[in-house]
Amino acid sequence: EEDEEEEEEQPQTVRQDEFNPTLYALDSREMEQIRSELHKEIYRDLRGDVLSALFDRLEEPERPDRQMEILGILETLLPTFLSRGGLTAATRLLEELRQLESKPGIFDEVRSERARAILDSMSSREAIEELIQALYEGSIRATPEQLSAFLGFLRAGAIPPLLRAAETVEHKALQTVLRSSVRGIAERNRSAVVRLLTAPDPVVAAGAARLAGDVQIAEAGPALAGLLSHDDASVRLAAIEAAQSLKASTVAGALVHSLDDAEREVRIAAARALGDLRYEPAVKELGDALGTTGIRDADISEKVAFFEAFALVAGEGGVKKLDKILSQKSFLGRREPSEIRAAAALGLGKIPGEAAHAALL
């Protein structure tokens, strides 16, 4: 009987109310915290964390062997990042490395040379050409800001291939970024730009000339004067534009000879530059040119360029000559051709004062 009573006391089923769910369940705050931590872990920048760890260890000058090992790792990572389109990571690597390389006490001479070699390798012609090709083909995608940031850390060796790319690439947005970036590098390496003015590649020489004008490298004057006799017309034209931008008196004398250049665009640029520079020694050559067959047979743009240049250089002293061309009749009562007279009028309009004004009435 006792056994029967014990069996009756034992429960036959498990009831839900015998369990307390609050012992095992998570409240909403805890769930949100777990969700947040999971999101952080999933989207964690492992590459950035690894780079941070490497650079932290690289700042330990008492461990030169480890520094050398890390530099070797970074040298391998840099092209890997670029080949996979990681331009931002590559930029950070260059930035950190350049900061450490320039910070005293971090590297000894051997480690400094290795760091410089890594920075220089990315500025080589081969590296720049591969990068430009990858950008052009779309295998590396980057915003103009990202590309400009990366190129800004390159060295003087990057200027020639960047100049060539900036002058020849057909992608307008990419061309704009390249020109902006190469200008930033040039501002830090002005002497390198001057040396490139004598580059055998005419595309590079022309680009360097424009760069010298853009960055206002005054010491480029003598080299620019030499470029005015270059075989390539595009180089001569770039040298004239640079001389005009620099207001370089050292080049102005050589510009006079460009008034007789075989290329129309070069002649026009030379005349405009002399006028803009108000180079008074050129007044005779410009004045003589106005009556030549070359100017009479030239198109209206070249006629105007020469007449306005003469007016700017001669000032009030040129009013009489221009007034004669504008108003005087020949023995048979003929006037100068309309285009010549129009160019003379435009020239008079460039001269301030009552005499020029009266000649136009």
Side-chain angles (χ1 to χ4, degrees):
E1 294 180 359
E2 291 180 1
D3 293 338
E4 292 177 358
E5 289 177 0
E6 289 179 1
E7 290 178 1
E8 290 177 358
E9 290 176 359
Q10 293 176 359
Q12 300 300 313
T13 60
V14 177
R15 296 190 299 274
Q16 185 176 358
D17 57 8
E18 292 179 340
F19 292 91
N20 183 358
T22 59
L23 294 176
Y24 311 101
L26 299 175
D27 61 27
S28 59
R29 181 184 61 80
E30 292 170 324
M31 287 294 294
E32 183 58 34
Q33 183 177 357
I34 291 177
R35 191 177 293 111
S36 175
E37 293 298 325
L38 182 61
H39 183 275
K40 287 180 182 178
E41 192 62 28
I42 291 174
Y43 294 99
R44 178 183 172 190
D45 182 13
L46 291 175
R47 182 165 56 191
D49 291 346
V50 171
L51 281 177
S52 295
L54 287 173
F55 282 114
D56 286 343
R57 298 296 180 270
L58 201 55
E59 289 191 68
E60 299 175 355
E62 66 278 6
R63 302 289 296 274
D65 291 340
R66 187 164 69 181
Q67 283 183 323
M68 187 65 83
E69 184 179 357
I70 293 173
L71 287 171
I73 293 171
L74 296 177
E75 189 174 20
T76 302
L77 285 176
L78 192 52
T80 301
F81 287 161
L82 290 175
S83 66
R84 297 180 178 179
L87 202 61
T88 300
T91 301
R92 184 192 170 189
L93 194 157
L94 290 176
E95 180 181 14
E96 296 273 7
L97 192 58
R98 194 168 78 174
Q99 288 179 355
L100 291 177
E101 187 255 340
S102 61
K103 190 182 296 184
I106 298 297
F107 296 143
D108 60 18
E109 184 55 37
V110 175
R111 260 47 60 171
S112 292
E113 185 177 346
R114 182 67 179 275
R116 287 193 294 268
I118 296 173
L119 292 168
D120 289 341
S121 68
M122 286 311 304
S123 301
S124 67
R125 179 180 61 81
E126 295 79 5
I128 296 300
E129 288 177 352
E130 286 186 22
L131 175 63
I132 299 302
Q133 186 65 27
L135 289 165
Y136 192 77
E137 293 174 349
S139 56
I140 293 180
R141 299 184 182 276
T143 64
E145 293 75 18
Q146 290 172 329
L147 180 57
S148 182
F150 174 78
L151 295 175
F153 288 104
L154 302 186
R155 308 268 186 130
I159 297 178
L162 282 176
L163 276 177
R164 168 165 274 285
E167 294 292 321
T168 58
V169 73
E170 296 179 359
H171 193 291
K172 294 300 181 183
L174 178 56
Q175 186 181 63
T176 300
V177 175
L178 290 175
R179 286 180 173 173
S180 174
S181 300
V182 77
R183 177 172 179 167
I185 301 172
E187 287 174 344
R188 302 191 303 270
N189 301 275
R190 299 166 74 89
S191 59
V193 177
V194 176
R195 290 194 296 272
L196 287 175
L197 291 170
T198 56
D201 185 344
V203 176
V204 174
R210 292 190 186 90
L211 205 53
D214 290 343
V215 184
Q216 292 293 293
I217 304 177
E219 55 270 31
L224 289 173
L227 288 182
L228 294 176
S229 58
H230 197 281
D231 292 339
D232 194 296
S234 65
V235 178
R236 301 197 298 274
L237 184 60
I240 292 171
E241 293 171 352
Q244 185 175 358
S245 177
L246 286 173
K247 309 293 183 187
S249 58
T250 54
V251 191
L255 284 175
V256 175
H257 301 294
S258 297
L259 294 174
D260 296 324
D261 196 274
E263 295 292 329
R264 168 185 172 276
E265 293 299 326
V266 176
R267 296 193 299 270
I268 291 175
R272 289 173 176 169
L274 288 168
D276 184 57
L277 294 170
R278 306 297 197 275
Y279 187 64
E280 293 184 4
V283 67
K284 183 179 185 306
E285 285 80 0
L286 285 167
D288 291 344
L290 300 186
T292 62
T293 303
I295 289 300
R296 290 181 175 277
D297 293 341
D299 62 24
I300 186 62
S301 297
E302 188 170 352
K303 286 184 174 73
V304 170
F306 271 75
F307 273 86
E308 288 188 342
F310 171 75
L312 290 169
V313 171
E316 289 190 357
V319 171
K320 183 177 180 180
K321 183 178 185 71
L322 292 175
D323 183 28
K324 182 179 179 181
I325 294 173
L326 177 63
S327 306
Q328 183 172 295
K329 296 181 180 180
S330 67
F331 178 74
L332 298 177
R334 296 177 180 176
R335 295 183 184 274
E336 292 283 359
S338 59
E339 285 190 353
I340 291 289
R341 296 179 63 241
L346 289 171
L348 286 167
K350 294 289 183 180
I351 302 175
E354 291 297 327
H357 180 71
L360 289 170
L361 296 178

